[in-house]
Amino acid sequence: MIIDEVLAMEGCEHHEIPPLYDSIDPDALAALYTSGSPTIRFQYAGYRIEISPERTISVTNDD
C-alpha cells in the first residue's frame, strides 16, 4: 500500500523507487499493529509517510 501510494504520486514504475526496507523494516511495521495502534511516521523516497491508528496512509512531498 505504501509503495502504491508513492508510485501514484511519482507517476513511475516500481523499479524506479528504492525498496521500502531501505527506510523501514516492513515486518517490524506489521508487528507494531499486532500489538496496538500507534501513529507511525517515516521518510521514504522523498516523501513523508504517516500511518494513523486506523491504518490510513498519508503521503506528502518532503520538499
Side-chain angles (χ1 to χ4, degrees):
M1 294 174 128
I2 295 167
I3 293 173
D4 294 335
E5 294 287 331
V6 171
L7 290 174
M9 301 250 332
E10 282 288 302
C12 66
E13 298 294 321
H14 191 273
H15 66 276
E16 297 178 274
I17 60 173
L20 181 61
Y21 61 77
D22 282 353
S23 296
I24 193 166
D25 181 337
D27 293 331
L29 183 61
L32 286 171
Y33 284 96
T34 61
S35 62
S37 297
T39 296
I40 306 295
R41 293 179 189 94
F42 62 97
Q43 292 182 262
Y44 170 65
Y47 292 90
R48 281 176 285 192
I49 311 297
E50 181 173 311
I51 306 171
S52 72
E54 297 79 24
R55 298 186 185 188
T56 301
I57 299 171
S58 171
V59 178
T60 55
N61 198 322
D62 199 25
D63 291 337

